[in-house]
Every structure is written in structure tokens, then in C-alpha cells.
Amino acid sequence: MKLPLSLLLLLSVAVAGASNTVPYPNNIVERPGKFTLTESTVIVCPSTALRPLAEYLRQYVPLRTVAHDTAANAVTLRTDRALPDEGYRLDIDECGVTVTGGSCGGVFNGIQTLLQLLPPQVYERGLQLPSEVDCVAIEDAPKYGYRGVMLDVARTWMDADRLKRYIDILSHHKINRLHLHLSDDEAWRIEIKSHPELAAVGGFRGGDSPIAAVYGKWGERYGGYYTQEQMRSIIRYAAVRNIEIIPEIDLPGHSRAMAQLHPEILCDYPCDNSPSMGYECRNAWCVARDDSRTLLDDIISEICTLFPSPYIHIGGDEVETSQWERCPDCRALMRRRGLNDERDLEDIFMQRLDSILRRHGKSPAVWNEASRTGRLTRTARVYGWESMRACREAAAKGYGVVVMPGQWFYFDMRQSPREDGHEWAAIFDASKVLGVDLEKEGFTQRESARVIGFEGAFWSELYTSHNPESTDYPDYMLFPRVCALAEICWTGERSGWPEFYRRLCGSHYDRLSAMGVVHRLFPPVLKYADGAFTAATDDGSQVFYRREGDTAEHRLRGELRTDTPQSYTFRSRRGLGVSPEMAHESHYRTITPAVVLTSSMPESPRAPFERAAQYRGQARTLRAGRDGDWLLFVFEQPAECRSITVKTGYKHMPRSIFDAGYVETSADGRHFERVAELVGGTATIESEGKIAALRVVCTATGNGCRNVLIQPLEIRR
Ligand code: TNX
């Protein structure tokens, strides 16, 4: 049953906790009275199977556990097989609390709802006793059996402790699948005992590793991997929290890191460097070669033994089939099989994998491309990432589908135009995630019935532009988008953004902060009129402002009077929550004075320097920078500006950069002064006078790439 908003608002007075839960329970019946948890309250746990959950609960609510069947003044955990598998009943009356689950998972979900009825600090330092909780009867079960999050631990490494932290946070949202992207072009992250070099060498890039430091920042050795023992501990930790770990080995494409160690997996033809500017672009397993079959079998067999999940994700996305086209062995195989589309070779490879999986009693999970021809076994589970249409097509073919198109579910996408993150799929915040509607997206009833759930993905190639030790970036990208994901997975229907947002602001932001999550707040609404700024928020946050060039933040009280609106930025904060930085339009306005770029490095004829000078697109050098290399920008007329940003590398990514270096400016074109250090290939300099020339000096040799990209200067008036 879904309650109408008016009733919800009424209830929120009486059962503030229950009506603020995320995800929202199916059925809440308010009762009069309260139960008081005290030092003498016990956890009653008659079944040994539930013992780990009693232990789990004790970490948050410090009570004694007793095994007796019943007791007054108790929190009782029990199962009732008549309830839906992951469903539960939560009864709170004046004598105690009973959590009854359809399974261990159901009990776990009931415990999560109970925790949400307690003060948010329960997540931070445990419940302070005595503590009161409102009497209530909740009956609840999830709409979707698959409620997933994917972490790309290949591009940016997250160690076992960080995974356990995410398992905790996700499980508080009743997420029940963690999909780990364990291999990609840039790394191999799981120990394979029969081929230890895969992780021991392939888990690291840069420095002395044969794996190139693709994302620039780490000329030094960077990376890590999970030993099988660590992974078993992660799996156990997750299992207690009702989360199944689904491993992904991305095959047959996205395999450059592994090919670096096992070149025998690649198609055998002489590399023609001219179309790739000297870069070896082969990264897919050859479908025709026999000598890599044992390797494939060894890897997949160990993965099957290590992970208890019935599905193993074997990738299947973005295979660059030009490799197979150019490979004489693949072409011969196609002739023998009577195939005329290279993409059909992927079917052969996937069928081979399926038979290995089947030997171990497992089924394949794949990205949607691998289901294109429909020849893949129907026991496969398809992860639809390219579009809603791709999801529908897979469903129509009869596959179970995890819906996760980038436009709604790629949480590496930026949340508003000027924030960090990709933008190729869409720019969206949590409200779009909550608004996903399969019917509106054209799913027929039969297709909808094949949807087993949703998944949010955090791809991490852009994470490398942040401090890898800091958890802030993924936290900020994931939350509150994961909260909205959890809501649609659990309730299956749209409660509507205003009601959901009320729950976020009512309690859930505080819970996230207590969990230690540096989550995103919606930006304050900024107004500049009659020489003064005001900033409005509706989430209980406080607004702070900063003067450009200053690091210090000041609390905004009332209005800020200024006649230079371009020099201020604003953001709101509440607990650990933080909004993106907002500014007046004039803050971003740039000018494009004529400038000439020269360098100690040769320029690429395809992207000559002149282009950067004309502020169109990017220029490129013909080689990576060396210690002492420089870029020199000379203005035709000295530029009058408040700041200039120079950027080497891709628009969103510190790749093809000056790995280290500094910026000098000159007022007369002859005398230069060192004014800023490059961080991630970029620097912003503040200026008060005129700038005649600007020089970027490289202090590192090499960047793991073949060239340096030079972005147009951003010059602010
Ligand atoms: C597409 S999704 C990819 C990833 C990238 C991601 C970035 C998919 C199966 N492939 O390799 O990391 O976009 O958003």
C-alpha cells in the first residue's frame, strides 16, 4: 500500500522516524506509545542461523544477546518462511521489538528499518541507552530482487577496507548486489593462483610496471589487488549484510592490461603503427587462437571457485572488432563457420566461456552487446547500459535484464554542468534516477516482467584526477543518487520527488553524515540584484561564500553586498553534505585575446598549436614532455584579467599531461616569475595587473602517453 502525501505528512508528526525511511516501506501502521531500549534490554535470537545478525545488530545497539525463545524487554530476531524471501515484519510495541524475516536477508532488511527509526547517531557511535522508539507495525518486501551497485576498482584502486565501508553503507539502503569490475585495460585486480603474475604485475601501472600509467598522474607505480583470502573475507562480510558480490572479468575486449602479460591472447598480425600513431591498440582476445584456451579456463575456473554467486560477469562490452577483421586466423575461422560479420565472433567466444561456467554450475552475466544476436544462452543475465532500447531488446529476446543505462544510472556522470564527472551519457542528479519509468520508456508488460532490477555504476577513470586516498569523490558521486536507486529498486514505484526529497532532508541526510558519507546537497539558489547576493536553500543547510583566490569560507548571513559579483563563489553545507560551488554568470565569462603558442616540443601536424592559439579545440605535441620542456603563450596585447587557467590533458581527465611542472608569468615578456604549480596537469593563476606572456615548464619526463594535449587558455575578465 502506498500512502497519499497528505496522510504521510500527518504521520510524519506521529512517527517521524518511520515516515522518513529510505527506501520507503510498503506498509506502516502507526501505534500509540513508545518502547524504551535500556541496558537491560536483550537481543533474543533463537536460531543459530541468525546469530551473525544478532552480532551485527550489537555493533549499532549495544545489547546482550540471549538465545531464549522469548523474553520481555527484548529485540527478538526470527524467521517465518511464510513471508517473502527478503521481506520482513517489524513490530514495535511497549514491551519490545520483533523483527521477523522471510529469510536471513529479510531479517537483515528489518534490522535496517529499525536502525532508521533510531537517532541517526546510531550509525556513528552506536545507540546511546536508554533510547525511545515509537511503536509501529511495518510489513515490507522489495519489488525487485536485484538491487545493485557497480564499483570500477580496475581504473582506480579501492582496497578491501574501502570495499567493506561501501558494503556497510550500501546495505543500510537495502542494496543486495555489489558488482566488482575487476579487470580492464588499465589493471587486473584479483589474485589468480595458477597465474600469479596477473595480479602481482597487472595490478600496478606506471613506474617499472609494464602496464602504462594511462591516466597520467601516477608516473610512479600505482595500484593494488585483492588476494583470494581478502576476497573471501569481503564475500563473508557482504553475505552477513545481505549483499552478494558479483565479480566481473571484462572479456574479450578491455583486456590490454592482461595482454601486456600474456601477448598470446591477442590476434597475431604485425602491428601497423600508422593508423594508431604508434600506439598498440589491440586489447581483445583473439577468437581463433588455441594457445590461450587453457589460460582462459584457468582464470574462469578459479573465479568460479572463489565466488559463491551463481552468476559470473564476463563483460562483452565495446569489443573493437577491427582487430578480428585484420586477423588472418579470425578471418579463416569466420570462413569455416560461414560468418560474415566480425561481431558474430563474439558469440563464439561467449559460448566458449558459457561452457566453462556451466561446468562449474554458473551462468554468464554480460553487457548488452553480447546479447545482440540472441545466440547467447537464455540463462544469461544481461546488463543493459547503452540505452533503454538495449534493455528492452534484451528483455524481448527473453533474457533477465538489469536496467542501468548511463543516462540514468552511471553515477560517474556529473550532476550539474560545472561539476566534475563525465557527461557523455547525460548530466543528472538524484531526481532523475528517482523518476525512471519503464512504461514511459516503452517497455511492454512482458518486457517489464523480465527486468530483475536496477544497478548504479561508478566508473572510475575520472576518479584518478582526485586524490586516490580520499573517499570524498565516489561518496559525492554516489550519494544521494544511490538513495534514489534504492528507492526505485525497493518500492518499484515513483513516490514522487517532493515526497522523497522531504525524507532526504527530514532524516536521511543526517543518517548519511553519521555514516561518514560526504554526500552531495542540491545547490543553493543564488540571486544577485541591487548590488547584493542572496542564496536560498530548502534543505536545512547553511550557505558559505568564498572570495576567488581565497581558501577561507565565510558563513553567509542575510546578504553579501559587492560590486564585483564575479569574484565570489557560494556553497551550502549540512553535516558532511556539501553542494557544488555556485557563482554569478560573470564569474565564468572568459575573453579570447590573440595569443601565439610555441614550445620546446614538436607540434602534431594533425592538431597544430595555431589551433589552441585561436581558442578552437586542443593542440597536441608529437611526444610526451621531458624535464625542462616548456610551452610559451605570448599575447599580442598584454591581457588584463583576474585569472587564467592553463590545462594540459583531456578535458575531463589528467591524461597526456605534464605530469609535473609549474607556471610562470611575465608582465613585459622578458622577466618571468614562478606563480603556480601544476596539479594534474592544470593550474589557475590569479592576476592583478597585465600579463604579457605565460610559460608552462615541465619538470617530469614522460607521462605514459605518446603526446601532450594543450587546452585553450581560460582567461577570466
Ligand atoms: C563506458 S559501460 C564503459 C566504461 C567506461 C564508462 C564511462 C561500459 C560497459 N563501458 O568502460 O568507464 O563508459 O562512463
Side-chain angles (χ1 to χ4, degrees), residues 37 56 82 155 168 183 278 319 325 374 388 410 447 601 677 696:
L37 292 128
Y56 170 88
R155 272 61 170 270
D168 277 320
S183 77
V319 182
E325 210 175 307
M388 281 293 183
Y410 272 19
E447 288 161 4
M601 295 177 285
E677 304 303 301
V696 191

Side-chain angles (χ1 to χ4, degrees), residues 150 152 155 181 184 215 248 250 254 316-318 367-369 383 385-386 404 406 410 412-413 422 424-425 457-461:
M150 189 215 79
D152 170 9
R155 272 61 170 270
H181 187 71
D184 212 302
Y215 299 133
E248 178 189 352
D250 201 350
H254 283 269
D317 62 314
E318 300 179 315
W367 296 114
N368 59 250
E369 290 100 310
Y383 287 60
W385 71 277
E386 282 183 299
M404 56 181 306
Y410 272 19
D412 54 328
M413 296 298 139
H422 270 306
W424 67 261
F458 177 72
W459 297 97
S460 67
E461 63 267 31

